[in-house]
Amino acid sequence: MKLVSIIIPYYKKKKYIKQTIQSILKQKYKHFEILLIYDDTNTDDLVFLKNLQKKDNRIKLVINNKNIGAGMSRNRGIKLSRGTYLAFIDSDDFWHPEKLRTQLRYMIKNKIFISHTSYNIVDSNNMKIGFREAKRIGYRDLIKSCDIGLSTVIIKKKLLNNK
């Protein structure tokens, strides 16, 4: 079973992060680590996040010394990750319980190094207000526009030439 490193940048999303973490912990695929990258100089939410961290030893809380933004926080998570695969989720998103298992099976079976999926768009009451369908996207399409929901992406870590 391949380890998946799930990277979550966190900045002022206390209202949603518990549901985000719960959606990960409810995954049918259980071999993962969660790298929660705290990117806020205000430490008010840290006690709340440390209590969430205590619920499962797969949750690693990483605290940035200064606010560096979501992209750089993700990069920091990538550097600290131990997984064969990387998955990304924003701190106000959540996953279907079959997401990791289904997507990884598909990737392994078809020898694919990166994939993304369709996703629902929901409002603050979790009511579906939209849907984005995943499309086959080639490199040329990708450099023109990024129509990929980052919270749906899984990538084989070695593709990033980190290790």
Side-chain angles (χ1 to χ4, degrees):
M1 212 180 260
K2 304 290 184 185
L3 180 67
V4 178
S5 296
I6 301 165
I7 299 168
I8 310 170
Y10 179 90
Y11 182 80
K12 299 187 187 310
K13 295 290 185 176
K14 186 175 179 182
K15 179 178 178 182
Y16 304 103
I17 190 65
K18 186 174 181 181
Q19 182 180 13
T20 300
I21 298 284
Q22 286 174 340
S23 80
I24 297 168
L25 296 177
K26 290 179 182 174
Q27 289 297 300
K28 301 294 184 196
Y29 189 90
K30 300 290 186 188
H31 196 55
F32 58 79
E33 66 176 351
I34 300 170
L35 295 151
L36 181 59
I37 315 298
Y38 191 82
D39 191 40
D40 193 348
T41 54
N42 182 331
T43 58
D44 290 350
D45 292 354
L46 273 176
V47 171
F48 178 75
L49 294 177
K50 286 178 180 179
N51 284 330
L52 283 178
Q53 180 186 23
K54 289 177 188 173
K55 295 180 187 286
D56 196 293
N57 64 1
R58 294 173 291 180
I59 302 171
K60 316 287 189 275
L61 183 58
V62 178
I63 303 167
N64 291 340
N65 293 328
K66 62 179 183 173
N67 180 263
I68 59 174
M72 294 300 289
S73 292
R74 285 186 195 97
N75 289 344
R76 186 164 185 214
I78 291 167
K79 286 179 184 162
L80 296 171
S81 67
R82 298 179 300 119
T84 302
Y85 290 92
L86 303 171
F88 303 92
I89 187 169
D90 288 336
S91 55
D92 59 353
D93 290 344
F94 55 94
W95 287 341
H96 184 281
E98 292 284 345
K99 183 252 195 303
L100 287 178
R101 182 165 71 179
T102 302
Q103 197 169 351
L104 283 170
R105 276 185 185 161
Y106 180 83
M107 290 174 71
I108 291 166
K109 179 182 175 190
N110 294 288
K111 298 180 176 133
I112 296 170
F113 290 168
I114 184 171
S115 69
H116 69 107
T117 66
S118 301
Y119 62 97
N120 291 320
I121 301 166
V122 298
D123 64 16
S124 60
N125 296 314
N126 289 337
M127 298 299 295
K128 182 178 170 181
I129 58 172
F131 177 77
R132 295 271 164 80
E133 188 169 353
K135 304 173 198 165
R136 279 184 125 26
I137 296 177
Y139 175 74
R140 290 185 182 162
D141 298 322
L142 200 52
I143 60 172
K144 294 177 194 170
S145 170
C146 188
D147 292 328
I148 295 174
L150 187 59
S151 290
T152 75
V153 171
I154 296 179
I155 186 169
K156 198 157 191 180
K157 185 176 178 180
K158 75 176 188 178
L159 191 62
L160 300 177
N161 295 326
N162 253 6
K163 288 190 178 180

